Amino acid sequence: MVQVCVNGGRGSGDGALVPLSPRAMAGSAAEAVAAGASDIHVHPKSPCGEDTLSPKAVAATLDEIRSRVAVPVGVTTGAWAEPDPAARVARVHAWTVLPDHASVNWHEPGAEDVAAALLERGVGVEAGIWSGTDGAERFAASPLGPRVLRVLAEVTDPDPRSAEDTARGLLAALGAAHGRPVLLHGEEGGAWPVLSLAARLGLATRIGLEDTLVLPDGRRAVSNAQLVTEALARYAAEAGSAEAGSDDPRS
């Protein structure tokens, strides 16, 4: 499974290609799905382009995207969009249109309460476990762990020279991950090396303008669809090269 991360926390300063309005997000998501993406992760935006969990923005974004595609659509619940944990939970309870899933960063204050609110409303939880945090340790001890939809193993190391090693360390820290599926991805300079590792390990992954603005050769990407096309080609090539051998992150 290759998920497209449509925009993330990026804004107008990152270039006109980053979709910020519901209509632009829907168009970009539809192109990415046509290119082969099978799941969508999106950050609803306020009128000024900031990430928001407001019911109005979430509903407008989901309705617009679902009018164009039939694959699952998820949103963020990142603390930067609503710093107060209680207010974040209240936002989830106030949503009038529900996403198929939502990411919850396990190292953030109030993560378990947000995850519990999502599960109560029937929304799948993607447990975001970031490298360089205590997220893996917290998740291992969480009673909600077995109930999440999947684990997002998020490698925050942007250095292409070390991102793969960081990814292996994160996977080792996750261990059995409560038996839940793992989606492995990187960001910025680490995006493509980590995607290649995910392919060799046979793990789900993601790509999109949230994670990187460039193609593997350093050229600026022109769309989410272009990133997805490149990711699928690279995934197929890396997975094929790994068929004859073993690439266990715990070895």
Side-chain angles (χ1 to χ4, degrees):
M1 188 266 281
V2 173
Q3 181 184 78
V4 60
C5 46
V6 174
N7 52 6
R10 300 193 191 272
S12 58
D14 295 298
L17 73 157
V18 178
L20 302 179
S21 70
R23 179 172 295 182
M25 293 179 219
S28 187
E31 291 174 355
V33 169
S38 53
D39 194 278
I40 296 167
H41 173 77
V42 66
H43 289 208
K45 301 288 184 178
S46 69
C48 59
E50 300 295 327
D51 285 3
T52 179
L53 307 183
S54 80
K56 183 177 180 180
V58 170
T61 300
L62 292 174
D63 285 344
E64 197 73 50
I65 292 176
R66 285 171 172 160
S67 73
R68 300 287 302 275
V69 302
V71 303
V73 185
V75 301
T76 184
T77 64
W80 58 87
E82 181 54 75
D84 180 65
R88 220 176 312 142
V89 170
R91 287 292 202 186
V92 169
H93 283 300
W95 286 347
T96 57
V97 177
L98 297 177
D100 295 288
H101 50 75
S103 62
V104 178
N105 300 318
W106 229 260
H107 65 280
E108 294 177 346
E112 298 237 0
D113 291 338
V114 174
L118 290 165
L119 291 169
E120 182 181 333
R121 299 212 65 192
V123 178
V125 172
E126 294 182 308
I129 312 299
W130 292 20
S131 63
T133 74
D134 63 353
E137 181 181 353
R138 291 187 180 193
F139 184 69
S142 173
L144 298 181
R147 299 176 60 192
V148 305
L149 175 67
R150 59 178 157 255
V151 172
L152 297 184
E154 307 199 17
V155 181
T156 60
D157 181 354
D159 189 335
R161 298 165 298 181
S162 57
E164 180 176 323
D165 286 341
T166 302
R168 290 181 179 277
L170 178 57
L171 291 172
L174 278 169
H178 293 287
R180 306 314 300 144
V182 174
L183 184 157
L184 176 66
H185 74 98
E187 62 182 38
E188 305 302 350
W192 292 107
V194 174
L195 185 144
S196 293
L197 176 63
R200 296 197 300 275
L201 299 178
L203 297 175
T205 191
R206 82 176 197 185
I207 200 68
L209 295 171
E210 173 175 355
D211 287 347
T212 183
L213 297 173
V214 300
L215 299 170
D217 61 7
R219 287 180 297 133
R220 182 87 170 201
V222 300
S223 66
N224 278 303
Q226 185 183 32
L227 288 169
V228 168
T229 298
E230 180 66 35
L232 288 169
R234 173 163 286 218
Y235 195 102
E238 293 283 1
S241 68
E243 283 182 358
S246 174
D247 201 352
D248 190 332
R250 298 170 186 83
S251 64

